[in-house]
Amino acid sequence: MTHGRDAELRERYVSGVRTEVAIARTRSDVAAAHAELVSAGAIHAAGGAVSGRIPGADLFVVTPAGIRVQDVAPENLVLCDFDGAVIAGTPGSKGRPHGQARLHGHVYAFSSAIGGIVSSAAPYTSAWAARGESIPCALATIAEEFGGPVPLVPEAGSDEDAGRALTDALLGGRAPVAILPARGAIAVGSNVDDAARVASFTEEVARIVHLARDHGAVLALPQDEIERLYESHRAPTPEPADRGAPATHSHTSRSTTEERSKTKTSTSR
């Protein structure tokens, strides 16, 4: 009995330490990603939020509301549960989480495969959101990265409904980003760095297509060309051949299409 109790207490202690380490690492990752997005112009004073899931726990850290973007740091990020409730007594808990924290939490709850989220209110991304339009797949780079347009997800009633609709749109399509009317864009990734990269890329292509449309009609790529570009961008890279040996090709790379099909099976709640 005593031995079993000791083992249980030991496991709880180790689990607690692991969670604390994971929280500290995620705080650092989210703060670093936020700083890069501010530098790139994908997040600025007009709005935007970055969050990261805590591995092994139903928790996430998110950037706070009501402070200058330049002042965001690991210690003032807010730790929340998936309902957006602040975990009292933790660093940053005296501050307010960003207004989209509840939306982020519901997305994490609906899909265990999503590890990072960026809400972008960058200028050109927001211009498409203000018009209530998806970003057409008019560039080869959009086809290669997203395999189609950046979709528009209609406004839903509650944050939970919006989170479900957003998750369904992201997991049901190829693009790891969607436009939310009047809000901007939500970009997701397996970690916060992936989500930040998607958000930065989205703002860049939003700018190019927006400027192109100012000078005439924007033509979406034919679907067969989109498919060709998307698939070729994910083709395995040949390994360098050994001297005197025939060339071989890597079979270890997995396509994004395969990963998305697996991701869909992990959607929960």
Side-chain angles (χ1 to χ4, degrees):
M1 291 284 292
T2 302
H3 178 73
R5 179 62 175 166
D6 288 347
E8 181 183 351
L9 290 173
R10 222 173 13 250
E11 178 57 33
R12 287 183 181 179
Y13 173 76
V14 171
S15 177
V17 170
R18 286 173 180 162
T19 299
E20 289 301 319
V21 170
I23 291 172
R25 287 176 176 168
T26 305
R27 285 181 179 276
S28 178
D29 291 345
V30 170
H34 181 271
E36 291 180 6
L37 288 165
V38 170
S39 178
I43 285 182
H44 52 87
V50 183
S51 71
R53 178 196 291 270
I54 308 302
D58 290 345
L59 301 168
F60 67 102
V61 294
V62 64
T63 46
I67 71 171
R68 299 186 310 164
V69 292
Q70 298 91 335
D71 295 334
V72 171
E75 61 272 14
N76 58 33
L77 298 178
V78 186
L79 181 66
C80 301
D81 64 20
F82 286 169
D83 289 323
V86 176
I87 306 303
T90 58
S93 61
K94 292 183 178 180
R96 291 183 297 112
H98 189 275
Q100 291 198 26
R102 283 176 57 83
L103 176 61
H104 285 211
H106 289 307
V107 172
Y108 287 127
F110 288 131
S111 176
S112 61
I114 294 174
I117 303 174
V118 174
S119 293
S120 174
Y124 290 97
T125 299
S126 295
W128 290 92
R131 292 192 298 262
E133 295 182 49
S134 62
I135 301 174
C137 188
L139 299 170
T141 53
I142 300 177
E144 290 170 348
E145 289 292 328
F146 295 160
V150 177
L152 176 74
V153 177
E155 199 63 62
S158 66
D159 284 327
E160 183 174 0
D161 290 341
R164 184 181 296 278
L166 179 60
T167 307
D168 288 346
L170 293 170
L171 300 184
R174 287 171 169 173
V177 60
I179 301 293
L180 298 183
R183 292 195 186 188
I186 298 281
V188 302
S190 59
N191 55 58
V192 68
D193 287 339
D194 284 347
R197 182 191 66 80
V198 170
S200 293
F201 179 80
T202 301
E203 173 63 4
E204 180 61 17
V205 297
R207 181 183 70 86
I208 295 170
V209 179
H210 176 88
L211 294 175
R213 199 167 71 165
D214 280 349
H215 296 278
V218 171
L219 303 177
L221 295 173
Q223 189 59 40
D224 59 347
E225 180 67 1
I226 291 173
E227 295 297 328
R228 185 189 68 78
L229 289 166
Y230 183 74
E231 295 302 330
S232 65
H233 196 59
R234 279 148 188 79
T237 303
E239 294 178 349
D242 293 333
R243 291 183 180 180
T248 59
H249 295 273
S250 171
H251 296 283
T252 59
S253 299
R254 296 179 181 177
S255 71
T256 299
T257 302
E258 291 171 336
E259 291 174 355
R260 264 192 197 285
S261 66
K262 291 183 179 180
T263 297
K264 292 177 186 178
T265 65
S266 68
T267 304
S268 60
R269 185 166 160 180

